[in-house]
Amino acid sequence: YHNSKKSSPGYNVYHNNTNTVYLMDMAGEIKHTWTIKNVERFRVVTPIKDGNLIVVGDTIFQLDWDSTLMWDASVYGHHDFAFLPDESFYALTTDSSRDLNGYSLLFDSIVHISKEGDNLGVVWSSYAHKNELDKFYSPPSFSLLPDEERKEYE
C-alpha cells in the first residue's frame, strides 16, 4: 500500500538479502526479477538506464536484464557508490587488514571503476593515513609497517 499523494510515481527496486532482486510498481506488483548467483551477501543494488543492475557486496559487479554477469570488478565493496558524468563511478571498498595490538584494522578506500567494470585505481585510502593511526593507537616508537614501507607515506 502507498499514499499516492505523498509518493513519487514510478518503480521500486527491492531486495531482502536473498538472491532475488525485485522491480515492483507502486501497487506492489512484481514487474521483473533478477537472480544474483555469484555472491553470498550484497548490500546495495542500483538499476542503471539500460535495465542492468550494479550490485555492491562481497564484490562489485553488473548484471544484465536476464541476470547474466556482465563484469566483476573484483573489489570488496561496501555501502555505496556514486556515478560520474561518464558513467564510471567511485565505490567505497575495504581493501586490506593489518594487525594492530591484537586487533584487525580494516582500511577503507575509494576506488574508481569504469562503466565496463575496470578498476581504474584507488582515489583515496585510509591506509595512506596510517602514520596518524600510529600516533593515536600506539606509543611513538610503534609502527604499523616496517620502516622501508613506511617511508612511502611520510
Side-chain angles (χ1 to χ4, degrees):
Y1 171 78
H2 72 283
N3 182 332
S4 60
K5 293 180 182 173
K6 294 183 177 182
S7 302
S8 296
Y11 292 97
N12 295 290
V13 175
Y14 172 78
H15 72 89
N16 60 356
N17 289 323
T18 64
N19 67 337
T20 304
V21 177
Y22 304 93
L23 178 67
M24 299 183 296
D25 65 14
M26 294 302 286
E29 184 178 329
I30 296 172
K31 298 296 184 179
H32 185 72
T33 60
W34 292 266
T35 302
I36 296 177
K37 302 172 190 161
N38 56 329
V39 295
E40 289 183 30
R41 297 181 304 149
F42 57 94
R43 293 160 197 79
V44 177
V45 178
T46 301
I48 55 179
K49 64 183 177 184
D50 57 7
N52 293 357
L53 291 179
I54 302 290
V55 182
V56 177
D58 292 341
T59 186
I60 299 174
F61 59 96
Q62 185 181 123
L63 295 179
D64 72 6
W65 184 256
D66 298 317
S67 302
T68 302
L69 181 66
M70 302 300 294
W71 53 258
D72 184 334
S74 298
V75 294
Y76 185 86
H78 73 83
H79 296 96
D80 212 355
F81 61 93
F83 283 106
L84 299 170
D86 66 356
E87 298 179 22
S88 67
F89 56 91
Y90 291 143
L92 297 173
T93 65
T94 299
D95 57 3
S96 61
S97 176
R98 294 270 183 180
D99 181 78
L100 179 65
N101 299 332
Y103 295 95
S104 179
L105 183 64
L106 296 174
F107 291 97
D108 293 331
S109 295
I110 298 173
V111 176
H112 189 190
I113 308 280
S114 75
K115 67 180 181 177
E116 295 82 18
D118 298 316
N119 184 339
L120 301 176
V122 174
V123 176
W124 178 88
S125 176
S126 61
Y127 189 69
H129 301 286
K130 68 186 179 319
N131 290 337
E132 293 304 313
L133 291 171
D134 287 349
K135 293 174 195 172
F136 184 75
Y137 286 111
S138 43
S141 61
F142 179 82
S143 172
L144 288 173
L145 296 174
D147 287 342
E148 60 273 6
E149 289 182 50
R150 186 183 182 97
K151 289 177 185 173
E152 294 177 42
Y153 299 98
E154 291 181 345

